[in-house]
Amino acid sequence: MTKRMAKRAAAISPFHVMDILAQAKQLQSQGQDIIHMEVGEPDFDTPEPIVEAGVKALKAGKTHYTPALGLPELREAIANWYQDYYQLDISPERIVVTPGASGALLLVMGALLEQGEKVMLADPGYPCNRHFARFVEGDINAVPVTAASNYQLTADHIEQHWDDKTSLALLASPSNPTGTVLSKEELELLSNAVKQKQGTLVVDEIYHGLTYDGFKATSALAIDAQTFVINSFSKFFGMTGWRLGWLVVPEGYTEVMDKLAQNLYLAAPTMSQYAALAAFKQNALDVLEQRRQVFQQRRDALLPALKQLGFTLPVTPQGAFYLYADCSKLLNDKVPDSMALSRYLLKEAGVAITPGLDFGNFQAEHHCRFAYTTSEERLLEAAERVGQTIKRFS
Amino acid sequence: MTKRMAKRAAAISPFHVMDILAQAKQLQSQGQDIIHMEVGEPDFDTPEPIVEAGVKALKAGKTHYTPALGLPELREAIANWYQDYYQLDISPERIVVTPGASGALLLVMGALLEQGEKVMLADPGYPCNRHFARFVEGDINAVPVTAASNYQLTADHIEQHWDDKTSLALLASPSNPTGTVLSKEELELLSNAVKQKQGTLVVDEIYHGLTYDGFKATSALAIDAQTFVINSFSKFFGMTGWRLGWLVVPEGYTEVMDKLAQNLYLAAPTMSQYAALAAFKQNALDVLEQRRQVFQQRRDALLPALKQLGFTLPVTPQGAFYLYADCSKLLNDKVPDSMALSRYLLKEAGVAITPGLDFGNFQAEHHCRFAYTTSEERLLEAAERVGQTIKRFS
Ligand SMILES: Cc1ncc(COP(=O)(O)O)c(C=O)c1O
Ligand SMILES: Cc1ncc(COP(=O)(O)O)c(C=O)c1O
């Protein structure tokens, strides 16, 4: 009997970082100290006031299903957030509460991407995107991006790479893995370019809130109400494990998302939704602002340290908690690519990072991602250890 | 500009019960008392010991992502459950923790159903199944079932209805909406029939634990280790809002499920996973056993009451918390089908039920589902009110 496996599933290659993680675990179990710079989530626990709200909800018996679109009061609170944070007027009717940005990506692809159609996106980019497209028997149109465009798609890319089969463009600002942010002007040009192609724009704003140097990311909703915007409580709000996000849809799309949600996942976790009501309150926002500043300090410590080690980082990313570094200068016969480098640094320096191949194919062998989701002290220790290790092989 | 909408999304018709719900809400806001018998979840809150474990986890900072396959200790606890409850030896390696049975259905369809292939299932059945199939560009092969086969598929059905495009068979025992349970012998025959067709069997065991008359459902895992089994903490364990379930896969399938989970939803909610560790402890199981007995009492009260009202229920279902009733005898020119009856009973009797159309097409106009997820007192009051109402129109 042959093993049954749908092509879409067989086609998924495992994340390379999983190898690194398994190896790291083994080393740790042998007593080695590992500095984790591969982790794509804040090291901070969820802020106390949010946890407290979750606890209160549980104790009050908030353990049943909610409506598929989310608690009405949470949809309202998110709409208010657009008013308070962005000065944007968004009707709660357009807010769909989801199980993470992941749930929002599932809804968007399911509702918009026809079988055989393609989503344009940047390479490097968030690795799950291509699998969401493939899951619904669509595909991607991956456009190589470099430091020259801040590792983001541009209107020119849209112009050059759009084809008959492409119907959606998916941006992420700030980006994972590069941390770079689109300006309002760039977003406008992109939005227009996509519109010219009769395409639909989807923007993943999951790292909004985590921006530095006094910079604040513009929401794509400020530019065009026809854009689909994905967001989450995972990153800025520090709620990864709660599995809660949201989607803002153009008017007229709430019903189809409701139907998809009712069938695919019924509703987002109830206690998480109640907890999230506390995330927009001042006491939680104060904690989050402090953490934002800590992330900025870490970036400011890690970036020059990596440069000094011989990594090339042509741009200073203004968001998220990642540095995407070109490691070309550090490669040699013994350590020929970023995967080998990741393995080597883990083994020899006890530092775990993510190889570029997890984010796409373009120049992936020469890049890796450092997440500054551990303390500044540990980051600098990591840099120190990497430095010692590199000396030995270069 | 035409509105972009993928065919798979446009094809989903809304649940008819949503109409009923909206109407019920409106009536309630006008002060009318509505008895809810349309709700597919236990009315009980999650048992105290489970809630306490969730609270403890939250306070201990268990707010980060878990591994995509779930916490190792929960996978182990679920494996132990198979030992304790079913006397089955299942390796934790074969357990995949999911965001509800919904998440498990998504994984199974994504991993197994090739584009264009069909899943055989019973009509009436759980309405989301067909949309999971359609979501990955597959389809269903819906087989009409009647009281004659206990509203379940049989080996004969497999024999007669299997075709070239069918690759999976999906059973649910106990079933939603009928509450009927497959015996061990029936499961064996079904398993063999599917194997003869080179098909793969998937069994949704989400209502396991909720069985009556001293009857205990056999897990399909007792029959064939090549079966995919779906389960959940939602129903028997009373944890709907926590969004937690699991999937048992044959050996060799853990990796593909891991990859799909990593891409599609990252992980199930963390606090839910910690809470669920307490679900298998004796103090929680004691509460659940009491509730099971309450459900049985309710069934035993409601079933004769519905029969007396003129509903036809040829079989006494031994599981879940649903009665699937033929309402043919109650229909007339004014109330011609089950949808009209549902609307009528809501308006005139303040009783909300689910019309058959939500569970399929076969004889759906003559059937409706009563959920006994409210107190016996309220159930009997509902029967009383329905009786008064029926008198008026028949
Ligand atoms: C760009 C991006 N989008 C979406 C997600 C999914 O996050 P979640 O489902 O936790 O909201 C992530 C997580 O790393 C991400 O980096
Ligand atoms: C037969 C059946 N399967 C699966 C589900 C999904 O449940 P959950 O995702 O809450 O585990 C339900 C919920 O009603 C159901 O009745």
Side-chain angles (χ1 to χ4, degrees):
Chain A
M1 201 181 69
T2 55
K3 187 167 160 185
R4 184 179 309 284
M5 178 92 65
K7 289 193 201 82
R8 82 182 70 79
I12 305 178
S13 42
F15 292 130
H16 294 77
V17 75
M18 288 298 150
D19 257 27
I20 301 287
L21 272 173
Q23 183 79 15
K25 219 171 162 179
Q26 209 194 317
L27 291 171
Q28 272 176 318
S29 75
Q30 291 163 13
Q32 193 169 329
D33 171 53
I34 307 294
I35 302 179
H36 288 280
M37 301 177 73
E38 85 287 16
V39 183
E41 63 175 323
D43 46 327
F44 306 109
D45 296 346
T46 302
E48 178 83 24
I50 302 176
V51 169
E52 268 316 311
V55 166
K56 216 173 128 191
L58 281 180
K59 290 190 169 167
K62 305 297 191 192
T63 61
H64 301 264
Y65 293 129
T66 72
L69 291 171
L71 289 172
E73 54 268 49
L74 180 57
R75 296 172 70 199
E76 188 114 8
I78 293 169
N80 288 338
W81 176 246
Y82 280 96
Q83 191 59 256
D84 296 347
Y85 189 77
Y86 300 103
Q87 289 77 56
L88 287 175
D89 198 17
I90 308 287
S91 157
E93 191 49 37
R94 291 173 57 196
I95 311 277
V96 179
V97 174
T98 58
S102 303
L105 283 161
L106 191 72
L107 290 189
V108 163
M109 298 291 186
L112 303 182
L113 193 66
E114 203 65 76
Q115 164 175 23
E117 283 181 357
K118 293 188 279 187
V119 189
M120 184 177 285
L121 37 70
D123 176 355
Y126 180 56
C128 303
N129 290 336
R130 69 189 106 133
H131 300 301
F132 279 108
R134 191 70 185 75
F135 196 74
V136 296
E137 299 295 345
D139 209 340
I140 57 166
N141 177 348
V143 178
V145 293
T146 64
S149 71
N150 227 359
Y151 300 108
Q152 291 280 0
L153 290 185
T154 64
D156 269 1
H157 288 131
I158 307 277
E159 197 49 58
Q160 284 166 38
H161 295 271
W162 202 272
D163 61 21
D164 274 5
K165 286 285 171 198
T166 303
S167 61
L168 308 183
L170 173 54
L171 312 172
S173 169
S175 145
N176 176 6
T178 68
T180 55
V181 188
L182 289 164
S183 70
K184 178 154 190 214
E185 293 66 35
E186 288 164 333
L187 261 175
E188 265 162 2
L189 291 170
L190 280 158
S191 170
N192 284 333
V194 172
K195 228 178 284 175
Q196 281 235 321
K197 299 290 184 187
Q198 329 277 313
T200 297
L201 182 63
V202 182
V203 184
D204 183 343
E205 303 189 344
I206 187 173
Y207 293 101
H208 270 224
L210 288 173
T211 44
Y212 314 118
D213 310 325
F215 194 83
K216 191 166 141 181
T218 300
S219 171
L221 295 169
I223 288 153
D224 183 5
Q226 293 307 308
T227 307
F228 290 75
V229 164
I230 287 165
N231 209 323
S232 174
F233 289 95
S234 285
K235 312 291 171 157
F236 171 62
F237 294 102
M239 294 180 69
T240 48
W242 303 73
R243 311 310 302 120
L244 196 67
W246 74 85
L247 174 63
V248 187
V249 298
E251 252 174 64
Y253 277 95
T254 305
E255 195 197 334
V256 66
M257 297 306 175
D258 194 14
K259 288 191 300 179
L260 281 171
Q262 281 171 22
N263 282 287
L264 295 177
Y265 59 77
L266 308 186
T270 303
M271 55 290 307
S272 306
Q273 294 187 55
Y274 280 98
L277 287 170
F280 301 115
K281 302 254 167 75
Q282 201 52 52
N283 54 355
L285 293 175
D286 288 344
V287 177
L288 296 170
E289 169 57 17
Q290 279 166 25
R291 292 178 177 184
R292 193 193 61 76
Q293 289 175 21
V294 170
F295 279 124
Q296 176 167 334
Q297 283 159 22
R298 291 175 182 177
R299 182 202 61 172
D300 291 342
L302 184 62
L303 183 63
L306 291 181
K307 282 183 176 172
Q308 200 147 35
L309 291 170
F311 291 95
T312 309
L313 294 107
V315 300
T316 297
Q318 293 183 302
F321 33 61
Y322 306 116
L323 294 176
Y324 186 68
D326 183 339
C327 55
S328 305
K329 285 199 221 144
L330 299 171
L331 303 177
N332 58 26
D333 284 0
K334 215 172 112 201
V335 184
D337 57 38
S338 58
M339 186 65 205
L341 182 67
S342 302
R343 284 219 189 83
Y344 189 85
L345 292 184
L346 178 62
K347 192 147 166 275
E348 301 296 325
V351 172
I353 60 174
T354 309
L357 271 175
D358 275 354
F359 307 102
N361 296 312
F362 179 64
Q363 299 188 340
E365 278 95 352
H366 299 152
H367 285 84
C368 39
R369 188 192 75 176
F370 293 81
Y372 41 96
T373 47
T374 188
S375 71
E376 187 173 334
E377 194 192 340
R378 294 283 280 169
L379 293 173
L380 293 176
E381 189 184 332
E384 171 67 30
R385 288 201 216 161
V386 169
Q388 297 296 334
T389 307
I390 285 171
K391 254 188 229 141
R392 258 179 279 149
F393 79 79
S394 59
Chain B
M1 203 178 70
T2 57
K3 186 167 161 185
R4 185 179 308 285
M5 177 92 65
K7 289 193 200 81
R8 82 182 70 78
I12 305 178
S13 42
F15 292 131
H16 294 77
V17 75
M18 289 298 150
D19 257 27
I20 301 286
L21 273 173
Q23 184 78 14
K25 218 169 163 182
Q26 209 195 316
L27 291 170
Q28 273 176 317
S29 77
Q30 291 163 15
Q32 193 169 329
D33 171 53
I34 306 294
I35 303 179
H36 289 280
M37 301 178 72
E38 85 288 14
V39 183
E41 64 174 323
D43 46 326
F44 307 109
D45 297 344
T46 302
E48 178 83 26
I50 302 176
V51 169
E52 269 315 310
V55 166
K56 214 173 129 190
L58 281 180
K59 289 191 169 168
K62 306 295 191 192
T63 60
H64 301 264
Y65 292 130
T66 71
L69 291 170
L71 289 173
E73 54 268 49
L74 180 57
R75 297 171 69 199
E76 188 115 9
I78 293 169
N80 289 339
W81 177 246
Y82 279 96
Q83 190 59 255
D84 296 346
Y85 189 78
Y86 300 102
Q87 289 76 57
L88 287 174
D89 197 19
I90 307 287
S91 156
E93 189 50 35
R94 292 173 56 198
I95 312 276
V96 180
V97 174
T98 57
S102 303
L105 283 161
L106 191 73
L107 290 189
V108 163
M109 298 288 187
L112 303 182
L113 193 67
E114 203 65 77
Q115 163 175 25
E117 283 182 356
K118 292 189 280 189
V119 188
M120 184 178 284
L121 37 72
D123 176 355
Y126 180 57
C128 303
N129 290 335
R130 67 189 107 131
H131 299 301
F132 280 108
R134 189 69 185 75
F135 196 75
V136 297
E137 299 295 345
D139 209 340
I140 58 166
N141 176 349
V143 178
V145 292
T146 65
S149 71
N150 227 358
Y151 301 107
Q152 290 280 0
L153 290 185
T154 64
D156 269 2
H157 287 132
I158 306 277
E159 197 48 58
Q160 283 167 40
H161 295 270
W162 203 272
D163 61 20
D164 276 5
K165 285 287 172 198
T166 303
S167 60
L168 308 182
L170 173 54
L171 311 172
S173 169
S175 144
N176 176 6
T178 69
T180 55
V181 187
L182 289 165
S183 70
K184 179 156 191 212
E185 293 66 36
E186 288 164 334
L187 261 175
E188 264 161 4
L189 291 170
L190 280 158
S191 170
N192 285 332
V194 172
K195 230 179 279 175
Q196 281 234 320
K197 298 292 183 187
Q198 329 277 312
T200 297
L201 182 62
V202 182
V203 184
D204 183 342
E205 303 189 342
I206 186 171
Y207 292 102
H208 270 226
L210 289 173
T211 47
Y212 315 118
D213 310 326
F215 193 85
K216 190 166 141 181
T218 301
S219 171
L221 296 169
I223 288 153
D224 183 5
Q226 294 306 308
T227 307
F228 290 76
V229 164
I230 287 165
N231 208 324
S232 173
F233 289 94
S234 285
K235 312 290 169 156
F236 171 61
F237 295 101
M239 294 180 68
T240 48
W242 302 74
R243 311 312 301 121
L244 196 67
W246 74 85
L247 174 64
V248 187
V249 298
E251 253 174 63
Y253 277 94
T254 305
E255 195 197 334
V256 66
M257 297 305 176
D258 193 13
K259 288 190 300 179
L260 280 171
Q262 281 170 22
N263 282 288
L264 294 177
Y265 58 78
L266 309 187
T270 303
M271 54 290 308
S272 306
Q273 295 188 55
Y274 280 98
L277 288 170
F280 301 115
K281 301 253 167 76
Q282 200 52 53
N283 54 355
L285 293 175
D286 289 343
V287 177
L288 297 171
E289 169 57 17
Q290 279 166 25
R291 292 178 178 184
R292 193 192 60 76
Q293 288 174 21
V294 171
F295 279 124
Q296 177 167 333
Q297 284 159 20
R298 292 176 182 176
R299 182 203 60 171
D300 291 343
L302 183 62
L303 183 64
L306 291 181
K307 282 182 176 171
Q308 202 148 35
L309 291 171
F311 291 96
T312 308
L313 294 107
V315 299
T316 297
Q318 293 184 300
F321 33 61
Y322 306 115
L323 294 176
Y324 186 68
D326 183 339
C327 55
S328 305
K329 285 198 224 148
L330 299 171
L331 302 177
N332 58 25
D333 284 359
K334 216 173 110 199
V335 183
D337 58 38
S338 58
M339 186 64 206
L341 182 67
S342 301
R343 284 219 189 84
Y344 190 84
L345 293 183
L346 178 63
K347 193 146 166 274
E348 300 296 326
V351 172
I353 60 174
T354 310
L357 269 176
D358 276 354
F359 306 102
N361 296 312
F362 179 64
Q363 299 187 342
E365 277 94 351
H366 300 152
H367 285 84
C368 39
R369 188 192 75 176
F370 293 82
Y372 41 97
T373 46
T374 187
S375 72
E376 187 174 332
E377 194 192 339
R378 293 284 279 170
L379 293 173
L380 293 176
E381 189 183 333
E384 172 67 28
R385 287 201 217 162
V386 169
Q388 297 296 336
T389 306
I390 285 171
K391 253 187 233 145
R392 257 178 281 150
F393 80 80
S394 58

